[in-house]
Amino acid sequence: SLEGKVVVLKQGSDYTIEKSGQEDQWKTYRYHIRASCFQKEGTYVINVYSEDAANNRSTNKIKTKPVIFTLDRTAPVLVVSNLEDGGKYNEETHRFTISARDNISLDKVAVYLDGECIHTYGKEELETTNGKLDVGIPESGQYQKVTLEAFDKAGNVCREIYDAQTD
């Protein structure tokens, strides 16, 4: 299923079965599902049902072996307020706001000043602030490169870069 919607796969076109074991032995079956069945983003649940010649039925649910995973190819989104590329600010510390969001699970946000990480906000802090962060850059007298990066649990990254001067 994908996002709760059941999809019945067809043997041969959607999956193949590899059987091992002789006729008079226990058999092992390996199901190989084609990657083309997993093109859309979302949460997948795979349920395998089998029935043998003696009408014995089995599923991976009976053996409490659920197969559940999420496919995420969408990068997080950063919305930055009160910071402009090329902006000049006449103050000791210029404060701006970052709003970070992800479609599934935001993992961390990192703030760099001239290539040096000045703060990393972890998952717990992002959950506490609902992804809204208050950040400050110190006085410099010259332009500084502010790089913002947001990472989701799938490893997708959003990067924003600003040059700003505070004096």
Side-chain angles (χ1 to χ4, degrees):
S1 65
L2 172 59
E3 296 297 328
K5 183 180 176 192
V6 175
V7 177
V8 178
L9 303 179
K10 294 176 180 56
Q11 185 176 345
S13 60
D14 296 323
Y15 69 94
T16 58
I17 302 173
E18 178 185 322
K19 180 173 111 175
S20 64
Q22 301 299 321
E23 198 59 42
D24 58 343
Q25 297 176 325
W26 285 99
K27 311 286 186 288
T28 300
Y29 296 90
R30 291 180 188 237
Y31 295 82
H32 300 274
I33 303 173
R34 298 189 196 291
S36 60
C37 295
F38 305 104
Q39 296 302 308
K40 294 182 180 177
E41 288 189 314
T43 300
Y44 288 86
V45 178
I46 299 174
N47 293 309
V48 178
Y49 170 84
S50 66
E51 186 174 331
D52 66 14
N55 289 326
N56 295 310
R57 298 177 182 106
S58 181
T59 72
N60 56 317
K61 282 183 165 181
I62 290 173
K63 299 183 181 211
T64 61
K65 302 285 185 186
V67 179
I68 302 170
F69 63 94
T70 300
L71 182 62
D72 178 9
R73 294 186 183 111
T74 302
V77 174
L78 288 171
V79 176
V80 181
S81 302
N82 201 31
L83 182 66
E84 293 182 30
D85 191 31
K88 287 182 89 170
Y89 306 98
N90 188 18
E91 51 196 345
E92 276 186 34
T93 301
H94 179 70
R95 303 215 66 79
F96 61 96
T97 304
I98 302 169
S99 181
R101 299 267 184 264
D102 188 64
N103 61 328
I104 296 177
S105 182
L106 192 60
D107 190 41
K108 68 180 178 181
V109 172
V111 179
Y112 297 84
L113 189 59
D114 290 329
E116 183 180 329
C117 185
I118 60 171
H119 196 79
T120 299
Y121 300 88
K123 185 172 180 59
E124 287 180 14
E125 191 170 2
L126 292 166
E127 287 174 356
T128 301
T129 64
N130 201 24
K132 193 170 183 177
L133 309 169
D134 180 52
V135 180
I137 54 173
E139 180 178 44
S140 169
Q142 57 186 333
Y143 279 95
Q144 303 175 88
K145 186 176 293 291
V146 180
T147 304
L148 310 171
E149 294 179 331
F151 301 82
D152 67 11
K153 282 292 214 185
N156 300 306
V157 181
C158 173
R159 183 174 293 113
E160 299 276 338
I161 300 173
Y162 300 85
D163 284 317
Q165 181 177 350
T166 304
D167 54 20

